Amino acid sequence: LERYLAPGTDTAQFRLFQPGLAALQRAETLFRSDRGHPIDYVSSAVRMDHAPPPALPEVCFIGRSNVGKSSLIRALFSLAPEVEVRVSKTPGHTKKMNFFKVGKYFTLVDMPGYGYRAPQDFVEMVEAYLQERRTLKRTFLLVDGVVGLQKTDHIAVEMLEEFGIPYVMVLTKIDRASRGVLLKNVLEIQEFVKESTQGCFPQLFLVSSVEFSGVHLLRCFVAHVTGNLPTVEAS
């Protein structure tokens, strides 16, 4: 999108996380399963006392229903095709917290969607997880790249800010948005993050689960925040 920006526009906030080739390759090995490095669905939970013990560094993915959360997680795990990540055409399919263990390195959690068809006990489930999960290293808040930040997304941001949870925004479905719409949404979100948040990582990650755009970088960032990479340039 850079060539569409006005001359002289500050692009520093787009380049805070710039891993080298070695870091990208290391992240790829973490997401590729083998006999000594299994990647498995562990369990699902509707309450924290049903969740697996918090033994490894953890990241969770949240977003409104139909934002493409399960599709993105399936894209992240595409190097381990035996891992079953259910993706439905019906919004609000994920009703539970789904835990995936990536070898001995970290756990990834797929959270229920908020907004349309959210589980009845969504607030209790998600708030309890965010406040109690001591191994949680970063929350990934997914935003639809076609429509940008919605009212329900602002509520999610307020919750994360109130709890003091470090998080990062991921713009999904970028293959479906025109360049003009995508750039507008990117700039508006970047400005919102700069002016209205404390706990959000300043860089926005753009991804397409269909074309795999941005997936390699996101894998690397997950590996980084879970402490599984050598030092990488990141604020």
Short mmCIF file of all heavy atoms in Angstrom, two decimals, residues 1 12-13 16 28 37 40 49 55 65 75 79 81 93-94 98 107 134 136 143 149 151 171 173 181 197 203-204 226:
data_model
loop_
_atom_site.label_atom_id
_atom_site.label_comp_id
_atom_site.label_asym_id
_atom_site.label_seq_id
_atom_site.Cartn_x
_atom_site.Cartn_y
_atom_site.Cartn_z
N LEU A 1 0.81 -1.21 0.00
CA LEU A 1 0.00 0.00 0.00
C LEU A 1 0.85 1.26 0.00
O LEU A 1 0.33 2.35 -0.18
CB LEU A 1 -0.90 0.02 1.25
CG LEU A 1 -1.96 -1.08 1.35
CD1 LEU A 1 -2.67 -1.01 2.69
CD2 LEU A 1 -2.99 -0.95 0.22
N ALA A 12 7.08 4.88 9.68
CA ALA A 12 7.86 4.17 10.69
C ALA A 12 7.02 3.16 11.46
O ALA A 12 7.49 2.07 11.80
CB ALA A 12 8.49 5.18 11.67
N GLN A 13 5.75 3.53 11.75
CA GLN A 13 4.91 2.63 12.55
C GLN A 13 4.54 1.35 11.81
O GLN A 13 4.07 0.40 12.41
CB GLN A 13 3.63 3.35 13.02
CG GLN A 13 2.59 3.60 11.92
CD GLN A 13 2.75 4.96 11.27
OE1 GLN A 13 3.87 5.45 11.11
NE2 GLN A 13 1.64 5.59 10.92
N LEU A 16 7.89 -1.57 12.59
CA LEU A 16 8.47 -1.78 13.92
C LEU A 16 8.99 -3.20 14.10
O LEU A 16 9.97 -3.43 14.78
CB LEU A 16 7.42 -1.46 14.99
CG LEU A 16 6.95 0.00 15.03
CD1 LEU A 16 5.80 0.14 16.01
CD2 LEU A 16 8.09 0.92 15.42
N GLU A 28 8.94 -20.65 10.94
CA GLU A 28 8.34 -21.67 10.09
C GLU A 28 8.54 -23.07 10.69
O GLU A 28 7.63 -23.91 10.64
CB GLU A 28 8.94 -21.62 8.68
CG GLU A 28 8.63 -20.34 7.91
CD GLU A 28 7.17 -20.23 7.53
OE1 GLU A 28 6.75 -20.89 6.58
OE2 GLU A 28 6.45 -19.46 8.20
N HIS A 37 8.13 -32.96 17.24
CA HIS A 37 7.52 -31.65 17.48
C HIS A 37 6.06 -31.70 17.05
O HIS A 37 5.68 -31.17 16.00
CB HIS A 37 8.29 -30.58 16.69
CG HIS A 37 7.69 -29.20 16.77
ND1 HIS A 37 7.52 -28.52 17.95
CD2 HIS A 37 7.20 -28.39 15.79
CE1 HIS A 37 6.96 -27.33 17.70
NE2 HIS A 37 6.75 -27.25 16.40
N ASP A 40 -0.84 -30.12 18.17
CA ASP A 40 -2.09 -30.84 18.43
C ASP A 40 -3.17 -29.91 18.98
O ASP A 40 -2.88 -28.99 19.76
CB ASP A 40 -1.88 -31.95 19.47
CG ASP A 40 -0.91 -33.02 19.01
OD1 ASP A 40 -1.06 -33.49 17.87
OD2 ASP A 40 0.01 -33.36 19.78
N ASP A 49 -12.24 -23.40 34.65
CA ASP A 49 -11.87 -24.63 35.36
C ASP A 49 -11.87 -25.85 34.43
O ASP A 49 -11.47 -26.94 34.83
CB ASP A 49 -12.79 -24.88 36.57
CG ASP A 49 -14.27 -24.83 36.21
OD1 ASP A 49 -14.59 -24.60 35.04
OD2 ASP A 49 -15.09 -25.01 37.12
N ALA A 55 0.70 -24.23 31.24
CA ALA A 55 2.09 -24.66 31.38
C ALA A 55 3.05 -23.94 30.44
O ALA A 55 4.23 -23.77 30.76
CB ALA A 55 2.18 -26.17 31.14
N SER A 65 -17.72 -12.14 15.45
CA SER A 65 -18.15 -13.27 14.63
C SER A 65 -17.98 -12.95 13.15
O SER A 65 -18.24 -11.83 12.70
CB SER A 65 -19.62 -13.59 14.92
OG SER A 65 -19.79 -13.97 16.27
N ALA A 75 -4.80 -21.12 8.55
CA ALA A 75 -3.70 -20.70 7.68
C ALA A 75 -2.36 -20.73 8.43
O ALA A 75 -1.34 -21.15 7.88
CB ALA A 75 -3.97 -19.30 7.14
N LEU A 79 1.13 -25.59 7.71
CA LEU A 79 2.31 -26.46 7.60
C LEU A 79 2.13 -27.74 8.41
O LEU A 79 2.98 -28.62 8.36
CB LEU A 79 3.57 -25.71 8.06
CG LEU A 79 3.91 -24.44 7.29
CD1 LEU A 79 5.10 -23.73 7.91
CD2 LEU A 79 4.19 -24.77 5.82
N PRO A 81 -0.98 -29.87 8.38
CA PRO A 81 -2.35 -30.07 7.89
C PRO A 81 -3.17 -31.08 8.70
O PRO A 81 -4.39 -31.11 8.58
CB PRO A 81 -2.15 -30.55 6.45
CG PRO A 81 -0.74 -31.05 6.40
CD PRO A 81 0.04 -30.24 7.38
N HIS A 93 -19.66 -19.77 14.78
CA HIS A 93 -19.54 -21.22 14.92
C HIS A 93 -18.74 -21.60 16.17
O HIS A 93 -19.04 -22.59 16.82
CB HIS A 93 -18.88 -21.80 13.67
CG HIS A 93 -18.71 -23.28 13.69
ND1 HIS A 93 -19.76 -24.15 13.56
CD2 HIS A 93 -17.59 -24.05 13.87
CE1 HIS A 93 -19.31 -25.40 13.62
NE2 HIS A 93 -18.01 -25.36 13.80
N THR A 94 -17.70 -20.83 16.46
CA THR A 94 -16.86 -21.15 17.62
C THR A 94 -17.59 -20.73 18.89
O THR A 94 -17.83 -19.56 19.12
CB THR A 94 -15.50 -20.43 17.53
OG1 THR A 94 -14.86 -20.78 16.30
CG2 THR A 94 -14.60 -20.83 18.69
N ASN A 98 -10.82 -22.91 22.25
CA ASN A 98 -10.15 -24.08 21.70
C ASN A 98 -8.64 -23.92 21.84
O ASN A 98 -8.07 -22.92 21.38
CB ASN A 98 -10.53 -24.27 20.23
CG ASN A 98 -12.01 -24.52 20.04
OD1 ASN A 98 -12.60 -25.31 20.77
ND2 ASN A 98 -12.63 -23.85 19.07
N THR A 107 1.20 -22.32 23.42
CA THR A 107 -0.18 -22.72 23.18
C THR A 107 -0.91 -21.58 22.47
O THR A 107 -0.70 -20.41 22.80
CB THR A 107 -0.90 -23.04 24.50
OG1 THR A 107 -0.21 -24.12 25.15
CG2 THR A 107 -2.35 -23.45 24.27
N ARG A 134 -2.33 -16.61 33.55
CA ARG A 134 -1.04 -15.99 33.87
C ARG A 134 0.03 -16.22 32.79
O ARG A 134 1.03 -15.50 32.75
CB ARG A 134 -0.53 -16.50 35.23
CG ARG A 134 -0.39 -18.02 35.33
CD ARG A 134 0.09 -18.44 36.71
NE ARG A 134 0.10 -19.89 36.88
CZ ARG A 134 1.06 -20.69 36.43
NH1 ARG A 134 2.07 -20.17 35.75
NH2 ARG A 134 1.00 -21.98 36.62
N LEU A 136 -0.57 -15.95 29.55
CA LEU A 136 -0.96 -15.23 28.33
C LEU A 136 0.06 -14.13 28.02
O LEU A 136 0.28 -13.22 28.82
CB LEU A 136 -2.35 -14.62 28.50
CG LEU A 136 -2.90 -13.81 27.32
CD1 LEU A 136 -3.04 -14.68 26.07
CD2 LEU A 136 -4.24 -13.17 27.69
N VAL A 143 -9.65 -7.68 13.16
CA VAL A 143 -10.57 -6.68 12.64
C VAL A 143 -10.77 -6.94 11.15
O VAL A 143 -9.79 -7.19 10.43
CB VAL A 143 -10.03 -5.25 12.87
CG1 VAL A 143 -10.96 -4.22 12.26
CG2 VAL A 143 -9.83 -4.99 14.36
N LEU A 149 -12.84 -0.92 11.91
CA LEU A 149 -13.27 -1.02 13.31
C LEU A 149 -14.77 -0.80 13.44
O LEU A 149 -15.31 0.19 12.93
CB LEU A 149 -12.52 0.01 14.17
CG LEU A 149 -11.09 -0.31 14.59
CD1 LEU A 149 -10.48 0.90 15.27
CD2 LEU A 149 -11.04 -1.52 15.50
N LYS A 151 -18.33 -1.02 16.23
CA LYS A 151 -18.66 -0.70 17.63
C LYS A 151 -18.26 -1.83 18.57
O LYS A 151 -17.70 -1.59 19.63
CB LYS A 151 -20.17 -0.43 17.75
CG LYS A 151 -20.61 -0.02 19.14
CD LYS A 151 -22.11 0.30 19.18
CE LYS A 151 -22.53 0.71 20.59
NZ LYS A 151 -23.99 1.03 20.65
N LEU A 171 -5.53 -7.11 10.77
CA LEU A 171 -6.56 -6.79 9.78
C LEU A 171 -6.71 -7.99 8.84
O LEU A 171 -5.77 -8.34 8.12
CB LEU A 171 -6.17 -5.54 9.00
CG LEU A 171 -7.29 -4.69 8.41
CD1 LEU A 171 -8.22 -4.18 9.51
CD2 LEU A 171 -6.72 -3.51 7.64
N LYS A 173 -8.90 -10.56 5.90
CA LYS A 173 -9.64 -10.50 4.63
C LYS A 173 -9.16 -9.38 3.71
O LYS A 173 -9.95 -8.76 2.99
CB LYS A 173 -11.14 -10.33 4.88
CG LYS A 173 -11.76 -11.41 5.77
CD LYS A 173 -13.25 -11.20 5.95
CE LYS A 173 -13.87 -12.22 6.86
NZ LYS A 173 -15.34 -12.03 7.05
N VAL A 181 -10.13 1.24 0.01
CA VAL A 181 -10.81 0.92 1.27
C VAL A 181 -9.81 0.40 2.29
O VAL A 181 -9.83 0.79 3.46
CB VAL A 181 -11.93 -0.12 1.03
CG1 VAL A 181 -12.43 -0.70 2.35
CG2 VAL A 181 -13.07 0.51 0.25
N THR A 197 -5.06 4.26 22.54
CA THR A 197 -4.72 3.01 23.23
C THR A 197 -3.40 3.13 23.96
O THR A 197 -2.55 3.95 23.62
CB THR A 197 -4.64 1.82 22.24
OG1 THR A 197 -3.46 1.95 21.42
CG2 THR A 197 -5.86 1.75 21.34
N GLN A 203 2.19 -1.46 15.58
CA GLN A 203 2.14 -1.94 14.20
C GLN A 203 0.90 -2.80 13.97
O GLN A 203 0.59 -3.70 14.75
CB GLN A 203 3.39 -2.76 13.88
CG GLN A 203 3.42 -3.30 12.45
CD GLN A 203 4.73 -3.99 12.13
OE1 GLN A 203 5.78 -3.64 12.66
NE2 GLN A 203 4.69 -4.98 11.25
N LEU A 204 0.20 -2.53 12.87
CA LEU A 204 -0.95 -3.32 12.46
C LEU A 204 -0.48 -4.41 11.50
O LEU A 204 0.33 -4.16 10.62
CB LEU A 204 -1.95 -2.39 11.76
CG LEU A 204 -3.24 -2.98 11.20
CD1 LEU A 204 -4.10 -3.53 12.32
CD2 LEU A 204 -4.00 -1.91 10.41
N THR A 226 6.12 -15.15 22.23
CA THR A 226 6.14 -16.30 23.14
C THR A 226 7.55 -16.67 23.57
O THR A 226 7.75 -17.67 24.26
CB THR A 226 5.47 -17.53 22.49
OG1 THR A 226 6.08 -17.80 21.21
CG2 THR A 226 3.98 -17.30 22.30
#
